[in-house]
Amino acid sequence: MIALREFASAREMVEFYRDLIARRNALGQPPAPVLVEIAPDPEPPPPPEAPPPLPRSTMKRIIVAAAQEFDIPMEAVCGPGRCKRDVVVRHVVTLLASELTNFSLCAIGRALNRDHTSVLHAIRSVRRRLAADPILAIKVARVRGRLLQESSEQMTNQGEDK
């Protein structure tokens, strides 16, 4: 069997195979090497169906929905506060915005007065927290469900208006 190998030129390839055949003959093996076909990589499976992205004006709706669910003022989500309660809700907002909108991390950060690296940290942090805290996971699921329901109702109403 011959492993894949790149050659600088056709001449180098011919010399390599002549040398290979000569060595095989010296060992008493048949002159023709066994060539292996390389199968192309299989096509990747289709991505799981994601919910349709929410309309572009939804950052405020996400903030309002999360603030209502967690019973904190909306200003605390976007504010400079670092108390645990405010930070967790802010992290939830970043996660939902990354999942349900087409916003970049920079755009999400701008809406929350943070930079994109803070948004990335928040998303990773809240995912770990969700795995360990079932109550938080339930609250996040309720906020997500409410946002998706509002979005589908809004899309249905837009379809009726046309």
Side-chain angles (χ1 to χ4, degrees):
M1 181 167 50
I2 299 174
L4 288 178
R5 179 176 170 178
E6 290 187 22
F7 299 96
S9 65
R11 179 173 294 202
E12 182 183 344
M13 182 179 70
V14 170
E15 289 173 11
F16 172 81
Y17 284 112
R18 281 186 183 155
D19 182 51
L20 177 68
I21 292 170
R23 279 190 269 140
R24 291 178 63 85
N25 284 338
L27 296 172
Q29 296 175 345
V34 177
L35 298 177
V36 177
E37 284 188 37
I38 307 287
D41 290 338
E43 290 189 29
E49 287 189 33
L54 298 176
R56 296 283 295 174
S57 62
T58 59
M59 197 64 201
K60 184 174 181 179
R61 287 178 41 216
I62 293 172
I63 294 169
V64 168
Q68 287 174 348
E69 179 66 35
F70 289 88
D71 195 30
I72 68 167
M74 203 176 97
E75 296 77 26
V77 177
C78 300
R82 292 185 180 182
C83 74
K84 185 175 181 177
R85 180 187 65 150
D86 297 349
V87 170
V88 169
V89 177
R90 191 176 302 128
H91 287 188
V92 167
V93 168
T94 60
L95 175 70
L96 293 173
S98 71
E99 290 177 351
L100 301 176
T101 69
N102 292 327
F103 287 127
S104 66
L105 297 181
C106 290
I108 295 168
R110 277 192 299 273
L112 297 172
N113 300 313
R114 302 289 185 279
D115 63 273
H116 74 281
T117 58
S118 297
V119 172
L120 186 59
H121 167 75
I123 292 167
R124 290 175 177 164
S125 175
V126 79
R127 283 187 176 145
R128 283 191 305 268
R129 190 180 296 262
L130 286 171
D133 186 349
I135 294 172
L136 179 63
I138 290 169
K139 287 185 174 195
V140 171
R142 280 198 298 235
V143 175
R144 184 184 289 116
R146 185 181 314 149
L147 290 166
L148 290 173
Q149 183 179 2
E150 289 174 6
S151 176
S152 67
E153 288 171 0
Q154 185 180 23
M155 292 170 76
T156 302
N157 291 341
Q158 287 175 353
E160 292 173 0
D161 292 342
K162 290 182 179 179

